[in-house]
Amino acid sequence: MIWVFGALVFWAVAWVVNVRLARLRATRGLRLLMPALFGLTLLVVWEGLVRGLNLPAVILPPPSAIGARIAISLPVLWGDFVQTFVKGALSGYVLGCGAGVLTAIAIDRSPFLQRGLLPVGNFIAALPIIGTAPILVMWFGFDWQSKAAVVVAMVFFPVMVNTLQGLAAADAMQRDLMKTWSASYLQTLTRLRLPAAMPFIFNGLKIATTLALIGAIVAEFFGSPIQGMGFRISTEVGRLALDMVWAEIAVAALAGSAFYGAVAACERAVTFWHPSQRGL
């Protein structure tokens, strides 16, 4: 039980350190240190409990075993990352988000689309991915194109809805002022409404980062070539190689977090003027 005792002691010490750090003045370094310390604490407690309680590796492998598997499987993990994230998730994300923004602008411009397309969009958004993914795989084949299609279907509606809300953010007085200056619709859109909508658009883009990766991985469960995160997870579960499954999960989590962070960094650069970005 020395492993369990050591893990609990580490957790208690880390708790005290985090409480004291929380009382300090918030700086960029401190905002990075606290979650890093919390994550390290989770890994240490996980390792200690698994080893101290002698849990079988097929139930829950320790982080050290997962790290060792990552170290010896880097070529396989890299190939799976490129297949799932770069080809499937990222391409579908770009297409889906771009289509969502353009469709929102078209809906905002056309009352007919506001009444006709939005209800259809609500219906499509309510379709479960478990039902649509096999259909799209059969339509677009077993390679990354079908995964990109699933991602497009998943990210399109959140981005479209957030963009529509953002386009309505500019109040009537501001729009009337643009009319008094004889501004065209395109000038009003590019110089007033789209800049005002950027916080809403980036909110949709951040939501779509997680949906894109989830959609690409789940789509691979229904057919894929002999590589990809979803393919590897499904096959390794059948072989009870849980360390490899967790290695893929770790890579997916790191990729998703980095993707979200990149979009959040772009948001801070574009919407630096917005009150939500003050103090960050």
Side-chain angles (χ1 to χ4, degrees), residues 246-267:
W246 279 98
E248 292 284 358
I249 293 174
V251 172
L254 291 174
S257 299
F259 192 18
Y260 184 94
V263 175
C266 293
E267 179 187 19

Side-chain angles (χ1 to χ4, degrees), residues 96-148:
C97 293
V101 172
L102 294 177
T103 303
I105 294 174
I107 292 175
D108 178 76
R109 182 64 170 166
S110 171
F112 169 75
L113 293 178
Q114 292 176 11
R115 299 186 182 95
L117 187 58
L118 276 181
V120 177
N122 283 320
F123 174 77
I124 295 176
L127 296 177
I129 183 177
I130 300 298
T132 57
I135 298 173
L136 293 174
V137 168
M138 296 302 298
W139 284 358
F140 295 96
F142 293 96
D143 209 345
W144 63 268
Q145 291 87 348
S146 59
K147 287 61 182 180

Side-chain angles (χ1 to χ4, degrees), residues 18-261:
N18 254 332
V19 169
R20 293 187 176 182
L21 290 176
R23 296 173 180 171
L24 300 177
R25 180 178 177 272
T27 62
R28 185 179 296 272
L30 190 60
R31 286 195 295 266
L32 294 176
L33 176 61
M34 293 183 64
L37 180 60
F38 184 78
L40 178 61
T41 303
L42 289 180
L43 292 178
V44 172
V45 172
W46 179 356
E47 183 84 21
L49 293 179
V50 169
R51 293 189 177 275
L53 300 177
N54 294 319
L55 293 179
V58 294
I59 296 179
L60 184 64
S64 58
I66 299 172
R69 173 57 65 180
I70 293 175
I72 65 177
S73 304
L74 287 178
V76 175
L77 293 172
W78 174 253
D80 293 341
F81 170 80
V82 171
Q83 177 70 22
T84 302
F85 183 81
V86 178
K87 293 182 178 180
L90 193 57
S91 60
Y93 178 86
V94 172
L95 293 174
C97 293
V101 172
L102 294 177
T103 303
I105 294 174
I107 292 175
D108 178 76
R109 182 64 170 166
S110 171
F112 169 75
L113 293 178
Q114 292 176 11
R115 299 186 182 95
L117 187 58
L118 276 181
V120 177
N122 283 320
F123 174 77
I124 295 176
L127 296 177
I129 183 177
I130 300 298
T132 57
I135 298 173
L136 293 174
V137 168
M138 296 302 298
W139 284 358
F140 295 96
F142 293 96
D143 209 345
W144 63 268
Q145 291 87 348
S146 59
K147 287 61 182 180
V150 173
V151 173
V152 169
M154 290 191 67
V155 306
F156 172 81
F157 190 73
V159 174
M160 183 188 73
V161 170
N162 278 274
T163 303
L164 281 173
Q165 291 178 340
L167 291 174
D171 58 39
M173 184 177 295
Q174 293 172 324
R175 299 183 192 181
D176 290 341
L177 180 61
M178 295 296 290
K179 290 180 180 179
T180 61
W181 291 339
S182 299
S184 64
Y185 174 81
L186 183 60
Q187 290 174 327
T188 303
L189 178 68
T190 56
R191 300 184 183 183
L192 172 63
R193 303 187 67 196
L194 274 180
M198 281 301 163
F200 296 86
I201 294 175
F202 273 104
N203 185 50
L205 294 178
K206 289 188 292 185
I207 294 173
T209 57
T210 55
L211 293 177
L213 189 55
I214 293 172
I217 291 175
V218 172
E220 288 182 344
F221 291 164
F222 300 97
S224 68
I226 56 173
Q227 63 180 19
M229 294 181 179
F231 167 80
R232 196 74 55 194
I233 290 173
S234 62
T235 55
E236 296 300 331
V237 165
R239 297 168 53 189
L240 296 181
L242 270 297
D243 54 348
M244 188 62 180
V245 173
W246 279 98
E248 292 284 358
I249 293 174
V251 172
L254 291 174
S257 299
F259 192 18
Y260 184 94

